[in-house]
Amino acid sequence: MKKILISVGFTAFIAFTPFMDPLFSQAARIGGLLPAPDRRAGEGLGPFKTLAIRGVMVIDGTGAPPAGPMDVIVEGNRIARIVSAGTPGLPLQPKRPPQADHEIDATGMYLLPGFINLHAHLGDAQKAPDAEYTFKLWMANGITTIRGVELATQPLAMREKTRSAANATATPRIFNYQRPGLAWPDGPVDTPEKARAWVRWCAANGVDGMKLVAYPPAIMAALLDEGKKLGLGSVAHLEQRGVAQMNALTAAKLGLGTVTHFYGHFEALLKDYEIQPWPAEMNYNDEQFRFGQVARLWDKIHEPGSPEWKAYLAEHIKLGTIFDPTMTAYAASRDVMRMRNADWHAKYTLPSLMDFYTPSRENHGSYYFDWTTADEIAWRNFYQVWFRLLNDYKKMGGRVTASDDAAYIYNLWGFGYIHELELQQEAGFHPLEVIRGATMHAAEALHEPKGQPIQFGVVRAGLLADMVIVDQNPLQNLKVLYATGAVRLNDRTGVPERVGGIKYTIKDGIVYDAKKLLADVAAMVEQQKKERAVNGAKR
């Protein structure tokens, strides 16, 4: 598909060839986003009548310990069986059945369920105008399913969802969650009656669930009640403008399925106030205030481990609330220099995206106008309490999932997701607990609202063949799951080298070379750099 770039000032908008569906063409022109292209020749192998992954160590996603060597047999797009390939420490059994159309020698490697990202957005003309870039970053980091909240406009999200389901594109499978009022003809959702009507419209138009904010109680109740009746999932960012009326526990009691970010938790635990004690000069629309004041909550709540703290978490356990914290989305606030100079930016972050990240009064999340040591210390203190909240909830039996909520605040698609896994380990989770949240528990979050058993998220016979293979042990070091791997000293040569990185991402039984996906991303970044150099020379 040919791209035509039309320059307006400093912003590039994208038009499309005339044969494209006019609805999708118009949606993409408005958002400045080019949909994912068709899978190219050789881009993903399969699905096969029979695929055999030989001699691999299996981490199944349930919390069970690794087991192997195993042969994982896939027929079409489903796992058919998982069988022993031999005894640890002894040579593998030769000529193991079945005869397969395609085989992967995974001896010494590790196989996990494909990762599930429950808080996903595509780019736009300003940040990343080509959806292929974003999708391949996710796939290169082992992400095989995303929950768009919202992914893009409804027409574009539905196009990408439908084509991904048909494996016409090299993209993760997509669950389409939308915000109330978007893409339907009747305007804002500002009454309970309109809330119910909007939910019915969603159910009739391919929407899987709702991305909510802190709506007034009557509207929130109507949205969640109607959504539950119609099998729509729900996730809420309980933002500061409404959290005084609708905190995380209030929303969960109305039927909210997932609390994303941290909003609503700390406000429900305030010790001496019912409303956060904002400074007199507070202005929510000034993002340094908006995000800077978050961290000032860390010592305003009931102490971790107190009766009030335990009672709060116990209520969520009873309600089955899922916590999807997106800690990676705010990590720059506790060390902006580290995140600004992350290993992957130079080669895999588009210059346009780095421009967006740069401190700006206009760009959302680019709020480091005068970020101080005191601001970072407040955020580090906040993280310690946040870590405790999540780990205590997990220890009580609560489910904590993983997301990246990229691309804001120096947080890059895919890489931010693996960083989220690291942050959960920092919070006290065992790596097997981290992986379980990223796979099985995340799959439950997507299927439970529909009243369905999970279809992926565990390496188990009968489930969809969504898996990742890495040639290092992720339990020893989660960093090997980054697409770029981890730096390790080679004691034989005395030279540091990069090891790991996802080797294969398998979605619906189709085997993608993750290193090739990452190389495609690098080529897109290099192309934009060249275009900028040419345009700069012309000026």
Side-chain angles (χ1 to χ4, degrees), residues 486-499:
V487 176
R488 181 183 298 164
L489 180 67
N490 185 322
D491 281 326
R492 183 178 58 81
T493 64
V495 177
E497 61 187 11
R498 284 201 175 265
V499 298

Side-chain angles (χ1 to χ4, degrees), residues 74 144 154 325 407 479:
V74 176
T144 55
Q154 169 68 359
K479 291 183 187 296

Side-chain angles (χ1 to χ4, degrees), residues 80-99:
R81 53 196 175 279
I82 303 161
V83 295
S84 174
T87 302
L90 296 177
L92 296 179
Q93 299 169 2
K95 297 181 180 179
R96 301 183 302 279
Q99 192 78 23

